[in-house]
Amino acid sequence: MSSELKPNFSHSEIEAKWYAHWLDKNYFHSEPDDREPFTIVIPPPNVTGVLHMGHMLNNTIQDILIRKARLDGKNACWVPGTDHASIATEAKVVKWLREEKGLRKSDLKREEFMAYAMNWKEKYGGIILTQLRRLGASCDWQRTAFTMDEIRSRHVIKAFVDLYRKGLLYRDYRMINWDPKAKTVLSNEEVIYREEQSKLVHILYPFADGSPGGITIATQRPETIMADTAVAVNPNDERYSDIVGRKVRIPLIDKEIPIIADEAVEIEFGTGALKITPAHAPEDYEIGKRHGLEVVNIIDETGHINEAGQILVGEDRFDARKKIIKMLADSGHLVKLEDYTTNIGRSERTDVIVEPRLSLQWYVNMKHLGEKALHAVTSGDVKFVPPRYKNIYRHWLENIQDWCISRQLWWGHRIPAWYYGDEVFVAMTAEEALAQAKEKTGNPALTLDDLKQDEDVLDTWFSSWLWPISVFDGFGGSRDFDYYYPTSVLVTGWDIIFLWVARMIMAGYEWYDQKPFHTVYFTGMVRDKQRRKMSKSLGNSPDALALIDQYGADGVRYGLLSASPAGGDLLFDVKLCEQGRNFCNKIWNGLRLVKSWKTTDTPQPDVNRLAHRWFRQQFNRILNQLDADFRQFRLSEALVKLYSFIWTDFFSWYLEIIKPPYGEPIDATTHAQATALFSELMIVLHPFMPFITEEVWHRITDRADGDDCTVSRWPGGGTYDEAFLRRIELAKDIIGKVRDIRNKHGIKMREPLHLMAGQSDETEALMAEEGLVPLIKKMAVLSDFERVPAEPDKGHVRFISGASPFYIPLEQAVDTAAQLAKLEEELKYAEGFVQSVQKKLANERFVANAPEAVVNRERKKLEDGLARVRHLRDAIAALKKEA
RNA sequence: GGGCGAUUAGCUCAGUUGGUUCAGAGCACCUGUCUUACAAACAGGGGGUCAAUGGUUCGAAUCCAUUAUCGCCCA
């Protein structure tokens, strides 16, 4: 049997096999039943996206939680799906049309474009869901949803209509964030501010009446001077008090504008004088409104200067900036150029600098929606892991602004608003809108052709915020929805806490007065070793699939998770995946070892019985800890714990203890126990590393059809005896010290040693433990292990373990000096320890105030410590006498 | 400007309610090893004034205050 198993684990041969098997058995599909549900909705990746490190981390965590819930016997349901990602996808389709078909969007009718886009999506979209299978994601694929499919679209339109009827939607003409590349408005949350280098340009605006001088303003945007309609100073700024009210000329175009005074102008900034460009800066727009200034728009929707600019018409805004600085210098109006760092807002999707722009858009009133959403989190109804994100969330909601939801795109949900003259009709369908229009106007002759539907689509997040509801067809009132909602956990990155998480909570309370999920687990960002965020442009992100090919899905999952505390950033290093792969190999070889044993009907030796007792109890202890870890979402800790438990306790200790000499059989009882323990370990590790655990599960013993690791039951814990476990720890310490002595003296493992233990209660208890003496003899390779009444005369080394002395006679020369140094160091430590305990116990207030258990513990510590010190002193004295 | 968080070994990080020999893990490093499951391994080892100062307490890596440095969110 064992001859089938290669020395190295090969993940590529098993991953596809088991994934297909799980699908074949339909294990991932969930239907409502009597069991407790455990539900996760996937943060839908962009339909055009490909798997990257962030997805891998995110989905590994979800899969761990789902698989654990499945093993716990819950009805686990993980709903996958994709997001239509309006801006990103439309950009990709436009590019594809241009490059592959030679078509421009402007050449196409809306319907034509949508047909191409849908086609494109069918062909290239959703690749990422296939890639998730490689990772082992146990999603219920039959429930795959798409934000633009029929059901989800219905939810979006219904939500819009409903909010409109409730008076929570409105249209307004105001300053918005414009993305000149995508040619659409963005919400505040889609603008990313970063500090960037810029120039502050000082420009002289001469007096209009021709008198000498003028006023020097400072601006970052010299290319917009043509749109200026005033220069403003602070009314309290004495430098300018006598020229307020006078007129100046805009250089280059010689337009006359007034100098006005407004409190909003910062005296300290620049020259204290601001050019006011109401069409192209939010603050200027406000100032302009206060002073009734004209609004001159000189930048078109693509970020180029338009006819109203008079000069530099058709130039890109940044080219225009360079040119105008040159022109100002030539005309003598440039006073100076100053280096300047400022916060620049860029589009989250296209990364171009956002252009403030006035336009008419749809908004959601957030005041109303925000209140319950805030309470949900502050009250703990929705739990955040880690909890510190509560503060960030609260801060945002307390300062919330209305949500701009219209987008000037075609790919998305078209806004269900129809216009007839100045009237707006919002309805589920054009026919309903027509009916409304007929009633409102009293004109029954109106037809659909008289109504004009809004050209814009809705923000993608306006569909994502309904996701936990819409994937279960919640607005239809479904059995699924009743059963699965609220979902159990949401796993997502903290970067979309406002864009997505907060809004889902709002939607949940708005439509069902119910949270969408019990807990939000925030993952960190995956960064490289230099702490840089992984990105395509930096090229520092490893190819996710290549990683899986190289290290196996289990190895990569291990690597991602072992260093990924909740909410903390993960500094990714392929070394971690390598460690995961090595762990797989270790498990594989443990399997090979156990499979290689022949069994015999002989009775179980004491040492094996002891080994099992010890490991069982240790396992119980770990199971308790794992329970706590899962409850608190400390997944990384749980995995690290399991890693060392399996590697060290199971392989390095348990299997080594029970391992029969080469070629000899093992007693059947021990073999059965080892097989059972191995299987249990595979269940416990399964959520983290599903593939290898399933493989080992099936190889370790014969299984009936359907007896798969992935659908087995998580083992229940049990009791353990602390005193017993401590005795074993002591034994392990003794073994370690013997090995150290071998190391130091160059004694090979095949040379058995003779170990003598000094008299103490401790050694007495130790040797009375059935099986422990043979255990120590086996693991330390001893010919003999016995207690002696006193230290032997000469020719031996000594060490202290616990509070007892041990001696090993040696044939070879003993390195007295080295031993002495080591013992003296240990003595120093032990004395310091004893001193600190003594000090504590001498303190009356400690003895009086501390709990009795704590005081007793200290007394025991003192007793042991004193014994240890005594033995160390004896040993040192003896050693000195020898020298 | 408002807020949040962090600072523990060379690196990345645990350390749960303040109390068990509590100063830990992994990686890295050093020494040794074909000990026939595994060199992707095995057996050992060295390494930290827990950022600084002060306070609370019988007792502080842990709680409080101040300072320093760094990171992030919002404006």
Side-chain angles (χ1 to χ4, degrees), chain A residues 486-500:
Chain A
T487 66
S488 306
V489 196
L490 175 80
V491 180
T492 189
W494 52 257
D495 53 333
I496 51 177
I497 183 170
F498 308 135
L499 282 168
W500 194 42

Side-chain angles (χ1 to χ4, degrees), chain A residues 533-650:
Chain A
K533 206 166 164 176
M534 287 197 167
S535 73
K536 244 191 251 168
S537 52
L538 274 175
N540 61 346
S541 180
D543 176 343
L545 293 180
L547 267 185
I548 294 178
D549 286 339
Q550 192 175 357
Y551 298 104
D554 292 328
V556 174
R557 289 167 67 116
Y558 176 93
L560 280 165
L561 204 74
S562 66
S564 176
D569 287 354
L570 162 64
L571 272 57
F572 184 78
D573 184 346
V574 289
K575 271 207 112 111
L576 296 168
C577 296
E578 201 178 305
Q579 204 184 329
R581 181 202 58 181
N582 293 355
F583 187 31
C584 290
N585 198 47
K586 185 71 188 177
I587 294 169
W588 183 251
N589 277 289
L591 171 73
R592 289 179 69 217
L593 176 64
V594 176
K595 293 299 291 181
S596 73
W597 292 337
K598 304 268 181 295
T599 57
T600 164
D601 277 336
T602 50
Q604 185 176 39
D606 289 344
V607 59
N608 287 3
R609 190 175 306 121
L610 179 70
H612 182 261
R613 199 173 129 217
W614 164 72
F615 190 79
R616 184 67 257 175
Q617 293 196 20
Q618 194 76 333
F619 200 172
N620 290 344
R621 209 169 61 91
I622 293 284
L623 282 168
N624 285 349
Q625 294 174 6
L626 290 178
D627 265 356
D629 286 339
F630 269 102
R631 264 200 312 277
Q632 297 168 63
F633 296 93
R634 297 149 58 97
L635 305 182
S636 186
E637 285 85 344
L639 177 57
V640 169
K641 217 168 269 171
L642 266 174
Y643 172 86
S644 96
F645 181 59
I646 292 175
W647 197 309
T648 309
D649 289 19
F650 190 64

Side-chain angles (χ1 to χ4, degrees), chain A residues 221-389:
Chain A
R221 301 210 59 190
E223 73 278 13
T224 63
I225 61 170
M226 300 84 84
D228 290 352
T229 47
V231 168
V233 297
N234 190 292
N236 301 316
D237 193 339
E238 289 170 9
R239 291 174 295 179
Y240 301 117
S241 49
D242 39 331
I243 59 170
V244 170
R246 290 185 65 175
K247 294 209 160 164
V248 291
R249 268 181 209 285
I250 300 175
L252 306 179
I253 61 168
D254 278 344
K255 179 179 171 183
E256 274 187 28
I257 54 171
I259 297 175
I260 59 170
D262 193 284
E263 298 275 356
V265 180
E266 274 181 60
I267 299 179
E268 305 299 324
F269 183 82
T271 62
L274 274 187
K275 70 192 217 39
I276 302 300
T277 322
H280 301 300
E283 309 79 35
D284 294 15
Y285 180 65
E286 293 303 318
I287 294 175
K289 268 209 292 205
R290 284 201 284 277
H291 296 268
L293 298 177
E294 185 194 357
V295 177
V296 180
N297 181 355
I298 62 156
I299 297 179
D300 71 12
E301 57 168 26
T302 63
H304 292 72
I305 309 292
N306 65 20
E307 297 290 333
Q310 304 173 48
I311 54 172
L312 296 167
V313 173
E315 293 279 354
D316 170 79
R317 52 193 171 144
F318 299 114
D319 295 336
R321 180 178 301 177
K322 282 181 208 138
K323 290 186 179 167
I324 205 162
I325 290 172
K326 175 91 181 8
M327 290 160 73
L328 288 166
D330 291 346
S331 66
H333 293 95
L334 180 68
V335 178
K336 80 169 171 183
L337 277 175
E338 194 181 339
D339 284 326
Y340 177 64
T341 345
T342 184
N343 270 328
I344 303 277
R346 287 177 180 270
S347 163
E348 194 217 354
R349 284 286 154 220
T350 63
D351 204 41
V352 298
I353 293 177
V354 164
E355 188 65 44
R357 186 180 165 91
L358 280 164
S359 78
L360 182 63
Q361 305 289 344
W362 282 95
Y363 292 87
V364 182
N365 178 338
M366 298 298 263
K367 269 268 159 338
H368 165 82
L369 291 167
E371 273 167 24
K372 274 189 182 168
L374 177 58
H375 181 73
V377 172
T378 51
S379 70
D381 197 23
V382 174
K383 202 173 125 204
F384 279 4
V385 179
R388 67 170 180 274
Y389 286 104

Side-chain angles (χ1 to χ4, degrees), chain A residues 43-59:
Chain A
N46 290 0
V47 67
T48 62
V50 290
L51 196 67
H52 62 60
M53 299 307 289
H55 294 127
M56 298 238 283
L57 172 63
N58 211 299
N59 288 290

Side-chain angles (χ1 to χ4, degrees), chain A residues 185-196:
Chain A
V185 63
L186 302 172
S187 66
N188 295 332
E189 288 71 30
E190 289 166 297
V191 181
I192 310 294
Y193 290 92
R194 244 180 318 227
E195 278 211 335
E196 293 188 24

Side-chain angles (χ1 to χ4, degrees), chain A residues 129-197:
Chain A
L129 296 185
T130 315
Q131 295 177 325
L132 278 177
R133 291 168 166 88
R134 288 288 314 276
L135 189 64
S138 58
C139 302
D140 184 350
W141 299 108
Q142 290 165 49
R143 293 182 176 274
T144 303
F146 175 49
T147 49
M148 264 171 76
D149 63 22
E150 193 269 327
I151 294 175
R152 265 48 67 177
S153 296
R154 179 158 33 83
H155 281 73
V156 170
I157 301 305
K158 199 162 178 184
F160 187 94
V161 173
D162 188 61
L163 287 178
Y164 184 78
R165 288 189 185 144
K166 289 172 178 162
L168 294 172
L169 283 186
Y170 64 93
R171 274 179 111 197
D172 195 20
Y173 187 76
R174 59 171 77 162
M175 189 68 78
I176 49 85
N177 309 295
W178 184 262
D179 179 333
K181 188 171 175 194
K183 286 182 263 179
T184 178
V185 63
L186 302 172
S187 66
N188 295 332
E189 288 71 30
E190 289 166 297
V191 181
I192 310 294
Y193 290 92
R194 244 180 318 227
E195 278 211 335
E196 293 188 24
Q197 279 301 321

